[in-house]
Every structure is written in structure tokens, then in C-alpha cells.
Amino acid sequence: MSIPTTNYLPAIELETSAYPTHTILWLHGLGADGNDFVPIIQELELPFAAAIRFIFPHAPEQSITINSGLVMRAWYDIKHINLKRHEDEVGIRHSQQAIAALIERENKRGVPSANIILAGFSQGGVMALHVGLRYPYRLAGIIALSAYLPLMHTFTPETQVANTSTPIFMGHGSDDPIVPIQLAQTSKELLIGAGYPVEWHEYRMGHSVCDEEIADISVWLGQVIR
């Protein structure tokens, strides 16, 4: 079902059982919308008897520079093929606030931050890392697929102690033509160097998600959701 609201991002919400104790907030990639990852619920082997609320928000529509100004759903603008050049800091910050608001809403609905997982693919994975590492209260985990750390110059001063031990799952395709695996590896190494518990997986694929990756996420979720 969609959540019509003027205060929060519109989203698709699905629950595995009544009275959810955990929330997985899953962020889509550039040009997609919240529907993109809804099918993954049926593909994941979720922990037995886990009561999970999945939230798939729709990013705002905006003009994307690298796509000739076409309007599409995006968490921030992309201005150059080199993703680390001319980063849209204003857009990233705006989406950060909108995603944090969804986390806070879950707190009001009875799910503590420590039971919330931020997940995302591509742009969504970028935002999951950006928001999760800066969130002032501990989260259950972060899943970043085909993604990287944005605004690296702000990483050290802005990260929050509350999430230095938060489990992080990073998966990436070795043949990714959109987000080069070297960029993701640099992000992974920075995180590990800073003491974050990163579980890194590399797959023979492009800019996508594969069955093996979904299986690995399932195992990881079984360790994180208790």
C-alpha cells in the first residue's frame, strides 16, 4: 500500500506479520522507484518468525544532469560520469533528512532504531551508507549494494559513535560499468580502516543484483535480526 503524506516520502509498505519488531528501509536506484525491490521479500530467506516491516520509499523526481536533464526519481543529481566529481552535496543532504525522518517515524510506531536496517542499491546504497554512518542512534545494520561512500571529505567529522559497530553488508559486481568496483573497494577499505565491521562480497556481474548476492544477504540478515 502507498502512504499518502505531505510530511514523509511516499512509500510502499509490506509486513511479514502483525506487530513488526524490525524495519528494513530499502532505497531504490536512479530512475527506479520503490516498486523496484518489492519482489526481493519473496526471494530472501528471512529469519524464522521474524516480524519485519519493509518500507520502499519513492525518491523525489528531479532533473539529472548526466542524463541530459531528464526528470526522474533520484536521491540526488549526478553531474559527471566520474561519480566523485561535482557531487551534489545539497541533494544528498536533502535526501538524508527525508530518510532520517522515516527512521524517526518508525521509532514513533514502536520500532527502535536498533531494530532498523537501512538498505539500498546504487544511489540507494550510497544514501544507506551516508545516512547510516551519520545517524545519531545505533541502527541494526546497513546494506549497500553496488554503491560507494559519498562526500568522503565529510566522513571523519560527521560519522556518529553510535554506529561505529553497526554491521555493514557491501556487495558489488566485478564488471559494474556504472559504479566502478574500485570506487566501492576504496570505500570498503576506508570503512575497515576506521574500524567498521564490513562484510564484503564481490560477484561476477554488472550493475545488478544476483541470486548469490540475495543468498548472502539472507545469511547476513539471520545474524543481524535477533
Side-chain angles (χ1 to χ4, degrees):
M1 62 180 175
S2 293
I3 307 169
T5 175
T6 56
N7 299 317
Y8 298 102
L9 291 169
I12 296 165
E13 240 184 65
L14 296 168
E15 298 176 356
T16 61
S17 64
Y19 310 110
T21 57
H22 291 73
T23 295
I24 298 180
L25 210 167
W26 205 298
L27 311 172
H28 63 77
L30 176 67
D33 64 17
N35 292 284
D36 201 32
F37 275 89
V38 169
I40 203 168
I41 298 177
Q42 301 300 322
E43 298 173 21
L44 291 170
E45 294 182 13
L46 297 171
F48 177 73
I52 303 171
R53 176 182 293 126
F54 282 85
I55 299 176
F56 303 94
H58 307 301
E61 293 186 336
Q62 59 183 291
S63 173
I64 301 300
T65 302
I66 199 172
N67 287 346
S68 303
L70 289 175
V71 175
M72 60 189 66
R73 292 197 181 276
W75 299 106
Y76 53 88
D77 189 17
I78 297 179
K79 302 178 181 181
H80 196 278
I81 192 170
N82 182 335
L83 299 173
K84 298 305 293 180
R85 291 184 61 184
H86 309 298
E87 289 183 286
D88 178 18
E89 183 166 354
V90 172
I92 291 171
R93 302 285 187 189
H94 181 76
S95 287
Q96 177 183 355
Q97 293 175 356
I99 294 164
L102 291 178
I103 296 174
E104 291 162 8
R105 184 179 64 173
E106 286 306 288
N107 297 159
K108 295 175 182 177
R109 298 168 85 183
V111 181
S113 299
N115 286 359
I116 296 175
I117 294 171
L118 272 184
F121 171 77
S122 195
Q123 265 203 350
V126 169
M127 290 308 307
L129 284 172
H130 179 81
V131 176
L133 298 175
R134 288 164 175 77
Y135 200 69
Y137 304 102
R138 177 174 169 79
L139 298 171
I142 299 170
I143 300 173
L145 310 179
S146 304
Y148 61 93
L149 272 174
L151 307 181
M152 284 191 182
H153 64 286
T154 69
F155 173 76
T156 299
E158 292 185 0
T159 50
Q160 296 287 324
V161 173
N163 282 297
T164 53
S165 61
T166 297
I168 300 172
F169 181 102
M170 291 186 73
H172 213 96
S174 57
D175 304 315
D176 192 331
I178 307 299
V179 180
I181 191 169
Q182 293 82 2
L183 184 56
Q185 289 171 333
T186 297
S187 299
K188 177 253 298 185
E189 290 163 6
L190 189 156
L191 288 169
I192 291 176
Y196 289 86
V198 179
E199 183 173 315
W200 169 263
H201 294 268
E202 185 175 326
Y203 307 95
R204 291 296 301 273
M205 65 179 184
H207 194 64
S208 59
V209 176
C210 64
D211 291 342
E212 183 183 355
E213 186 172 38
I214 292 173
D216 289 336
I217 293 170
S218 297
V219 173
W220 183 86
L221 285 173
Q223 299 167 349
V224 171
I225 297 177
R226 301 181 183 282

